[in-house]
Amino acid sequence: MSQQQLDNRGLQPPEPMVRILAALASLENGSELAVLMDREPFLLYPELERRGFEWDFVEQAEDFLLTIRHAS
Amino acid sequence: MTARVAPANSPPLGLVAPFLLLAPIGLIAAGMLIATAGDDTFAAINAPHTVAITHALVLGWVTTLMMGALYQLGAAVIGGRLLSEPLARAQLVLHVCAVALFTWAVEGWRTDVMPIAGSLVILSFALFAANLAHALLTSANASLPRLGAGLGISWLAVTGGIGLTYALAVSQAWFPITLGRLAAHAHAGLAGWLGLTLMGVSFQLVPMFNVAKAKPRHGTAILYGTAAAVAIFALAIAFDPPWPVRVALALLLAAGPSAASFEIVRLMRARSKRRLDIQGRGTFVSVSFFAATVVLGLLAAIGEPVAPGGEPARVLLAYGIVGIGGWMGCAMIGNSFKILPFLLWYHRYRPRVGIAPVPVVGDIYSETVATIALASHAFSVVWLAVAALAGSMVGLHAGGVLLALSAAVHCTGLAHTLLPKTSSRDVPSRTPVVQ
């Protein structure tokens, strides 16, 4: 599985959402998008659901990692 | 203990935006009233014209803006459900009419109208409190904004109750409204309703908008401590104690908001977004005005021995202007230019992100206009405070005009956000991935 990465740290809302949704437009089936975040993007989740994606959200030592893929 | 955002609960734009857009009209009205203040302004803080100015500022401007922000935050940030959106729309109409009538009645000291208008204001408070309380009670998240808003609306009820009692007391000649009793009512509103709500909400919005990982360390203690301090202050000051007791009460009252200000500054210093936008600037200016409010509040508590020209009303006037207009006002202006554009972006442009270029929040409002609105407002507040301390009626009148003009800029800047916007940056649907 190929993985694309996006660093959204240091961005204020809603720019992380804009960048993620723009990146997902080109995400191929079988690939996933790994995003470094400063905080959990609660506002993004309904939009991911609406567009047919699923995700994992993990708290790391200094930041958060959001991994998004097409819903199976 | 920050809140989990609940976007599904976000109320429609048409509910929240009118509160934010109508609020600056209250400030314009207050500015015009200041510009027409009479000679008795420096003689007594409870002159009818001054009381009318205070209510135009607090009820017409700050409270209207705070209500709109809380309808949005109570649902979308605190995570609860409003009792009824149509009720909130009706409440705005009632609130605007009631505050306009009440301000007019107080300005002309129409004692027969004051209890009726005051009752309508109380009804507006009750509808707002019922709607917001439902949102707070249906939220599963314990958070500082929820706690601050809950304590805030409790104090709104107390403030309204005291105010209506005073209006009836004046109308029916029940008892005199002494300066101490007036101070109890004023501080229940300023520190209880507005202060607690602002502090609770700021603990959430400051790190969110400025991208700070740090969290408030003592938020819960600060909010409960301030609520208790307001109760002690209001109960004790109502008996018009001697100045050493007033100073002790003022120090007690200032402790909580001072601690909150230190927390806010710590959160701002921990931000990863180094460039300050309008919300960050508003926050810093607001905190600076809070420091000035404490100094003036202590001078006002001492009273006549330190009053310029032997007129304590001048210090009290400067204290009120800096506290309401500076501390509250600058924070509200900064936040309004973030809340309304964000709300617009969320409802209008979010569904098209990644499909077509959409404006970012920075494209929706003019940073220049917002900065002019904040700077001109802050300048007006400083001008008015200096004019009050100096006892300059000409300066006060000019400051009133300045305040009204800055409010017009604020109102125009917010209205401008409603116009359709295009993306200033090419945010293509297929590129920002870095690897």
Side-chain angles (χ1 to χ4, degrees):
Chain A
M1 176 181 286
S2 65
Q3 186 182 72
Q4 296 176 312
Q5 295 178 357
L6 193 59
D7 187 351
N8 272 348
R9 292 172 297 181
L11 300 175
Q12 66 173 317
E15 195 148 359
M17 184 196 291
V18 174
R19 286 164 55 92
I20 288 169
L21 293 175
L24 290 175
S26 62
L27 190 72
E28 294 173 359
N29 273 325
S31 298
E32 60 182 24
L33 178 65
V35 192
L36 288 174
M37 307 283 294
D38 283 320
R39 61 184 64 245
E40 188 164 10
F42 296 107
L43 286 168
L44 175 67
Y45 295 156
E47 203 57 32
L48 292 180
E49 272 185 7
R50 194 174 72 86
R51 298 184 186 206
F53 291 96
E54 59 186 23
W55 64 91
D56 299 314
F57 185 81
V58 181
E59 185 170 355
Q60 303 184 139
E62 291 290 313
D63 43 36
F64 301 95
L65 177 65
L66 175 70
T67 308
I68 309 169
R69 64 194 74 81
H70 286 278
S72 50
Chain B
M1 197 167 64
T2 47
R4 293 169 65 94
V5 177
N9 296 340
S10 184
L13 181 63
L15 190 158
V16 177
F19 280 88
L20 273 60
L21 291 167
L22 286 171
I25 295 172
L27 183 55
I28 292 173
M32 297 313 292
L33 284 168
I34 293 172
T36 55
D39 293 336
D40 57 350
T41 307
F42 297 136
I45 195 69
N46 54 358
H49 200 83
T50 307
V51 179
I53 291 167
T54 307
H55 284 90
L57 274 176
V58 173
L59 297 179
W61 176 42
V62 185
T63 293
T64 307
L65 216 160
M66 190 72 93
M67 284 172 166
L70 285 177
Y71 278 138
Q72 162 69 9
L73 300 174
V77 171
I78 295 173
R81 293 188 312 280
L82 295 177
L83 184 63
S84 163
E85 289 175 4
L87 186 67
R89 294 175 203 269
Q91 186 256 319
L92 174 62
V93 175
L94 172 65
H95 184 74
V96 170
C97 296
V99 171
L101 181 65
F102 186 74
T103 305
W104 172 80
V106 170
E107 200 279 332
W109 212 244
R110 296 167 180 89
T111 53
D112 52 337
V113 181
M114 279 158 56
I116 300 165
S119 300
L120 293 174
V121 173
I122 296 296
L123 181 60
S124 165
F125 287 178
L127 296 179
F128 165 73
N131 227 337
L132 187 67
H134 189 269
L136 300 180
L137 292 171
T138 53
S139 165
N141 309 318
S143 66
L144 292 174
R146 183 187 180 199
L147 178 60
L151 292 170
I153 58 170
S154 304
W155 275 108
L156 177 67
V158 172
T159 308
I162 297 172
L164 182 59
T165 305
Y166 287 1
L168 286 165
V170 168
S171 173
Q172 306 298 318
W174 285 348
F175 55 82
I177 313 300
T178 63
L179 283 181
R181 288 171 181 162
L182 197 64
H185 171 59
H187 289 84
L190 180 63
W193 151 234
L194 296 172
L196 283 163
T197 308
L198 178 67
M199 288 189 280
V201 168
S202 296
F203 287 146
Q204 171 88 15
L205 295 189
V206 166
M208 188 174 86
F209 283 133
N210 295 281
V211 195
K213 286 182 191 169
K215 293 178 179 174
R217 289 176 184 153
H218 310 294
T220 304
I222 288 169
L223 293 174
Y224 278 123
T226 303
V230 176
I232 294 167
F233 181 93
L235 285 171
I237 204 78
F239 291 97
D240 293 281
W243 74 264
V245 178
R246 293 201 302 267
V247 169
L249 290 170
L251 288 170
L252 175 71
L253 187 65
S258 298
S261 297
F262 280 112
E263 287 272 27
I264 297 295
V265 171
R266 188 179 61 78
L267 293 172
M268 287 297 290
R269 292 182 66 177
R271 73 190 188 280
S272 57
K273 185 171 76 72
R274 298 315 299 171
R275 184 181 170 276
L276 286 177
D277 63 12
I278 186 64
Q279 198 273 346
R281 290 189 198 114
T283 299
F284 274 128
V285 176
S286 166
V287 168
S288 304
F289 272 121
F290 172 72
T293 304
V294 172
V295 173
L296 288 167
L298 288 171
L299 290 175
I302 295 170
E304 200 154 341
V306 295
E311 292 180 314
R314 283 156 57 177
V315 181
L316 287 167
L317 203 58
Y319 167 63
I321 289 165
V322 171
I324 301 165
W327 175 33
M328 292 294 151
C330 291
M332 302 301 283
I333 290 172
N335 280 308
S336 67
F337 277 109
K338 295 298 284 190
I339 291 173
L340 186 58
F342 186 86
L343 200 59
L344 268 160
W345 184 90
Y346 186 76
H347 286 288
R348 191 179 284 175
Y349 300 109
R350 169 189 47 87
R352 297 184 358 228
V353 174
I355 300 164
V358 296
V360 293
V361 169
D363 296 326
I364 293 175
Y365 75 99
S366 165
E367 184 77 25
T368 305
V369 173
T371 302
I372 291 170
L374 176 66
S376 59
H377 176 80
F379 179 76
S380 305
V381 169
V382 173
W383 178 292
L384 283 167
V386 171
L389 289 172
S392 166
M393 190 54 69
V394 174
L396 201 70
H397 288 167
V401 175
L402 283 174
L403 193 70
L405 289 174
S406 73
V409 174
H410 182 201
C411 197
T412 307
L414 288 179
H416 176 262
T417 62
L418 297 174
L419 299 175
K421 304 292 189 310
T422 54
S423 174
S424 64
R425 299 180 308 174
D426 184 21
V427 185
S429 59
R430 298 182 182 279
T431 48
V433 179
V434 294
Q435 284 182 14

